[in-house]
Amino acid sequence: MLILDGGTGRELARIGAPFRQPEWSALALIEAPEFVSRVHQRYVDAGADVITTNSYALVPFHIGQERFDAQGAMLADRAGALARAVADTAPRVVRVAGSLPPVSGSYRPDLIDQARSRAVLSVLVGALAAHVDLWLAETLSAVVEAELVADCVAGTGAPLWLSFTLADEDLAAPPMLRSGETVAQAAIAARRLGAEALLFNCSQPEVMAAAITDAREALGKQAPLPIGVYANAFPPQGADAEANSGLSPIRADLTPEGYAALARGWAGAGAGIIGGCCGIGPEHIAQLHAALR
C-alpha cells in the first residue's frame, strides 16, 4: 500500500498562506513559498510515501496568460524544487509526483483545447522534469486528455500515473468519466498509453469503489495496473460547475476516521495507492497510514 498526500490548496489556506481566487494554490508559490514547503512536510510527517508538486494551478486559467508566459517555467521549477527538498530530507523514501493539471479547468471536458493544452503542459514538463520521480496527470475528465499528457511526457524517463475524475452527481449511477466515457475505456486507454498506475481523484468518495471494480474487470489478469484513489471532500460537482468560481464547501462527515473507513473499502476492492484530494488534510493522511499500514 502506497500512501499519497492530501490536498494542497485548502491546506495552504488553513495554515495562513496567501490564498485567493483565481490564483488559488499558486499564490503561495508566488508570494510565500515557505508555506508550500510546510505543507509538504506536514504530509511527510503524516506518513505519505508520495508528495505532489504544487503545480496544479500553474496554468493561464489560474495565473493569467501574461504571468504564465513570463514566470510559468520559473514557478514550476520552484514547485518541483520545494517538493524535492522536503522528500530528500525525509527519514524514509518519499517520492515526488509532478502534478500535471487539466489546462482549461477541472471537470470541464467540453473546454479541452488540445493545442493550447500542449503548449502549457510542455512548459510544466520541461521545468518539473529535473525534480520528479513520476508524473501524475490529475483530474482528467476525458481519455483525450490522458493521450495528450502521455505524449507530452514521453521521453522524460519518468513513469506516468493517470488519474481520472468521475461524475458524482448520482451516486447510484454506473461509474463514468465526466466526459461520459466509461471507466473501462479509461482503464484500457491507461494500459495502451503505458501508464504505470491508474487512479481516480477529485470526486466524492462514494463513487470510488465501483470504479475500482470496473477498472479491474476491464484490465483483467493480463498486465493489470496498480489502481489508486484520492477522493475529495466536496459535495457533488455538476457538469455545469464553473471551475475556479469560488471555494466549494467541505463535507462535515468526512472526518479522518470516516475517510479511513471508506479507504478500507477501496483497499478491499483492490486499490493499492490511496491518498486524498481537495479538503483532505494531514490528519486524514495520518489516519490512512494508521489504518492501512
Side-chain angles (χ1 to χ4, degrees):
M1 177 63 65
L2 279 176
I3 304 295
L4 304 180
D5 58 5
T8 298
R10 292 305 185 104
E11 188 62 17
L12 284 167
R14 190 172 75 149
I15 66 174
F19 189 89
R20 66 168 180 255
Q21 302 287 42
E23 292 93 340
W24 195 46
S25 58
L27 190 62
L29 191 68
I30 295 165
E31 296 185 355
E34 66 276 9
F35 282 97
V36 178
S37 297
R38 194 179 306 171
V39 169
H40 289 320
Q41 189 62 57
R42 285 169 66 85
Y43 283 122
V44 169
D45 293 344
D49 302 303
V50 180
I51 56 175
T52 308
T53 61
N54 183 29
S55 48
Y56 192 93
L58 290 181
V59 294
F61 182 81
H62 283 285
I63 66 174
Q65 189 67 54
E66 184 177 346
R67 178 183 271 164
F68 181 82
D69 291 342
Q71 300 182 318
M74 178 274 290
L75 291 170
D77 178 73
R78 178 182 293 174
L82 291 172
R84 183 80 265 162
V86 171
D88 286 349
T89 57
R92 63 186 188 283
V93 175
V94 173
R95 301 167 75 187
V96 174
S99 173
L100 298 176
V103 172
S104 298
S106 305
Y107 316 135
R108 295 298 301 270
D110 56 311
L111 298 180
I112 296 170
D113 181 326
Q114 291 223 51
R116 185 166 176 265
S117 296
R118 182 182 296 276
V120 172
L121 289 171
S122 295
V123 172
L124 298 182
V125 169
L128 288 167
H131 307 292
V132 305
D133 299 302
L134 61 99
W135 298 108
L136 178 57
E138 302 188 87
T139 324
L140 302 170
S141 293
V143 168
V144 68
E145 283 187 296
E147 293 171 338
L148 176 60
V149 172
D151 190 47
C152 288
V153 303
T156 63
L160 172 63
W161 291 5
L162 293 173
S163 189
F164 293 89
T165 179
L166 302 170
D168 59 1
E169 285 187 280
D170 181 358
L171 300 181
M176 65 178 60
L177 310 189
R178 296 186 189 270
S179 63
E181 294 164 295
T182 66
V183 165
Q185 288 174 296
I188 292 167
R191 184 164 61 191
R192 169 172 56 83
L193 294 170
E196 291 200 5
L198 168 66
L199 300 92
F200 304 102
N201 81 293
C202 214
S203 307
Q204 289 199 90
E206 290 82 359
V207 301
M208 297 301 191
I212 296 168
T213 299
D214 280 13
R216 291 188 69 196
E217 289 178 356
L219 293 169
K221 296 181 179 180
Q222 299 298 318
L225 291 175
I227 295 175
V229 168
Y230 55 116
N232 66 27
F234 293 162
Q237 301 295 306
D240 59 348
E242 262 191 78
N244 212 24
S245 61
L247 289 179
S248 298
I250 298 296
R251 289 171 49 177
D253 61 311
L254 288 181
T255 62
E257 295 77 15
Y259 191 76
L262 289 161
R264 289 190 190 94
W266 305 332
I273 306 169
I274 297 179
C277 203
C278 309
I280 302 300
E283 296 86 353
H284 296 81
I285 301 307
Q287 190 68 35
L288 285 183
H289 188 272
L292 303 177
R293 281 287 185 79

Coordinates of all heavy atoms in Angstrom, one line a residue, residues 5 46 56 58 60 64 66 69 71 84 87 93 97 130 138 164 206 209 213 230 238 240-241 259 282 288-289 291:
D5 N -0.2 12.0 -0.5 CA -0.5 13.1 0.3 C -2.0 13.5 0.1 O -2.7 12.8 -0.6 CB 0.4 14.3 0.0 CG 0.4 14.7 -1.4 OD1 -0.4 14.2 -2.2 OD2 1.2 15.6 -1.8
A46 N 2.9 13.0 8.3 CA 1.7 12.2 8.5 C 1.8 10.8 7.9 O 1.0 9.9 8.2 CB 0.5 12.9 7.8
Y56 N -0.5 22.4 -9.8 CA -1.8 22.2 -10.3 C -2.4 23.6 -10.9 O -3.1 23.6 -11.9 CB -2.8 21.6 -9.3 CG -4.1 21.2 -9.8 CD1 -4.2 19.8 -10.2 CD2 -5.2 22.0 -10.0 CE1 -5.5 19.4 -10.7 CE2 -6.4 21.5 -10.5 CZ -6.5 20.2 -10.9 OH -7.7 19.8 -11.4
L58 N -0.7 26.2 -11.8 CA 0.3 26.9 -12.7 C -0.1 26.9 -14.1 O 0.6 26.4 -15.0 CB 1.7 26.4 -12.5 CG 2.3 26.7 -11.1 CD1 3.7 26.1 -11.1 CD2 2.3 28.2 -10.8
P60 N -2.5 29.3 -17.2 CA -3.1 30.6 -17.5 C -4.5 30.7 -16.9 O -4.9 31.8 -16.5 CB -3.1 30.6 -19.0 CG -2.0 29.8 -19.5 CD -2.0 28.6 -18.5
G64 N -3.2 33.6 -15.2 CA -3.2 34.6 -16.3 C -2.2 34.3 -17.4 O -1.1 33.8 -17.0
E66 N -0.4 36.3 -19.3 CA 0.8 37.1 -19.2 C 1.8 36.6 -18.2 O 3.0 36.5 -18.4 CB 0.5 38.6 -19.0 CG 1.6 39.5 -19.0 CD 1.2 41.0 -18.8 OE1 0.0 41.3 -18.9 OE2 2.1 41.8 -18.6
D69 N 3.3 33.2 -19.3 CA 4.4 33.4 -20.3 C 5.7 33.9 -19.7 O 6.8 33.5 -20.0 CB 3.9 34.4 -21.4 CG 2.8 33.8 -22.2 OD1 2.6 32.6 -22.2 OD2 2.1 34.6 -22.9
Q71 N 6.5 33.8 -16.2 CA 7.0 33.2 -15.0 C 6.6 31.7 -14.9 O 7.0 31.1 -13.9 CB 6.5 33.9 -13.7 CG 6.9 35.4 -13.6 CD 6.4 36.0 -12.4 OE1 5.2 35.8 -12.0 NE2 7.2 36.8 -11.7
R84 N 11.0 18.4 -3.9 CA 12.2 17.6 -3.9 C 13.0 17.8 -2.6 O 13.6 16.8 -2.0 CB 13.1 18.0 -5.1 CG 14.3 17.2 -5.3 CD 14.0 15.8 -6.0 NE 13.8 14.8 -5.0 CZ 13.2 13.6 -5.3 NH1 12.6 13.4 -6.5 NH2 13.1 12.7 -4.4
A87 N 11.3 15.9 0.2 CA 11.4 14.5 0.0 C 12.8 14.0 0.4 O 13.0 13.0 1.0 CB 11.0 14.1 -1.4
V93 N 12.1 6.7 2.3 CA 12.0 7.1 0.9 C 10.6 7.7 0.6 O 9.6 7.2 1.0 CB 12.1 5.8 0.0 CG1 11.8 6.1 -1.4 CG2 13.5 5.2 0.2
A97 N 5.8 13.4 -7.0 CA 5.0 13.3 -8.2 C 4.8 14.7 -8.8 O 4.4 15.6 -8.1 CB 3.6 12.7 -7.8
A130 N 13.4 17.8 -13.9 CA 14.6 17.6 -13.1 C 14.3 17.2 -11.7 O 15.2 16.7 -10.9 CB 15.5 18.8 -13.2
E138 N -3.5 14.7 -13.3 CA -4.6 14.7 -12.3 C -5.9 15.2 -12.9 O -5.9 16.1 -13.8 CB -4.2 15.6 -11.1 CG -3.0 15.2 -10.4 CD -2.8 16.0 -9.1 OE1 -3.4 15.5 -8.1 OE2 -2.1 17.0 -9.1
F164 N -8.2 10.0 -13.2 CA -9.4 10.5 -13.8 C -10.4 10.9 -12.7 O -10.5 10.3 -11.7 CB -10.1 9.4 -14.7 CG -9.3 9.1 -15.9 CD1 -8.3 8.0 -15.9 CD2 -9.5 9.7 -17.1 CE1 -7.6 7.7 -17.0 CE2 -8.7 9.4 -18.2 CZ -7.8 8.4 -18.2
E206 N -17.8 8.1 -2.3 CA -18.8 7.1 -2.5 C -18.8 6.5 -3.9 O -19.4 5.4 -4.1 CB -20.2 7.6 -2.2 CG -20.5 7.8 -0.7 CD -20.0 9.2 -0.2 OE1 -19.4 10.0 -1.1 OE2 -20.1 9.5 0.9
A209 N -15.4 3.0 -5.1 CA -15.3 1.6 -5.0 C -15.8 0.9 -6.3 O -15.2 0.0 -6.8 CB -16.1 1.0 -3.8
T213 N -13.7 -1.5 -9.1 CA -14.2 -2.8 -9.6 C -14.3 -2.8 -11.1 O -13.8 -3.8 -11.8 CB -15.6 -3.1 -9.0 OG1 -15.5 -3.2 -7.6 CG2 -16.1 -4.4 -9.5
Y230 N -7.8 8.9 -4.7 CA -7.7 10.0 -3.7 C -8.9 10.9 -4.0 O -8.9 11.7 -4.9 CB -6.4 10.7 -3.7 CG -5.8 11.3 -5.1 CD1 -5.6 12.6 -5.2 CD2 -5.4 10.4 -6.1 CE1 -5.1 13.1 -6.4 CE2 -4.9 10.9 -7.3 CZ -4.7 12.3 -7.4 OH -4.2 12.8 -8.6
G238 N -21.5 19.3 -10.4 CA -22.3 19.0 -11.6 C -21.5 19.3 -12.9 O -20.5 19.9 -12.9
D240 N -22.3 21.4 -15.0 CA -22.2 22.8 -15.3 C -21.4 23.6 -14.3 O -21.5 24.8 -14.2 CB -23.7 23.4 -15.4 CG -24.4 23.1 -14.1 OD1 -23.9 22.4 -13.2 OD2 -25.5 23.7 -13.9
A241 N -20.6 22.9 -13.5 CA -19.8 23.5 -12.5 C -18.8 24.5 -13.1 O -18.2 24.2 -14.1 CB -19.1 22.5 -11.6
Y259 N -13.1 9.0 6.7 CA -12.4 8.8 5.4 C -11.7 7.5 5.4 O -11.6 6.8 4.4 CB -11.5 10.0 5.1 CG -11.0 10.1 3.7 CD1 -11.7 10.5 2.7 CD2 -9.6 9.7 3.5 CE1 -11.2 10.5 1.4 CE2 -9.1 9.8 2.2 CZ -9.9 10.2 1.2 OH -9.4 10.2 -0.1
P282 N -3.6 16.6 6.4 CA -2.6 15.8 7.0 C -3.2 14.8 8.1 O -2.8 13.7 8.2 CB -1.7 16.7 7.6 CG -1.8 18.0 6.8 CD -3.2 18.0 6.4
L288 N -5.1 7.4 7.5 CA -4.9 6.4 6.5 C -3.7 5.5 6.8 O -3.7 4.3 6.6 CB -4.7 7.1 5.1 CG -5.9 7.7 4.4 CD1 -5.5 8.2 3.1 CD2 -7.1 6.7 4.3
H289 N -2.6 6.2 7.1 CA -1.4 5.5 7.4 C -1.6 4.5 8.5 O -1.1 3.3 8.5 CB -0.2 6.5 7.8 CG 1.1 5.8 7.9 ND1 1.6 5.3 9.1 CD2 2.1 5.6 7.0 CE1 2.8 4.8 8.9 NE2 3.1 5.0 7.6
A291 N -4.4 3.2 9.5 CA -5.5 2.2 9.2 C -5.0 1.2 8.2 O -5.4 0.0 8.2 CB -6.7 2.9 8.7

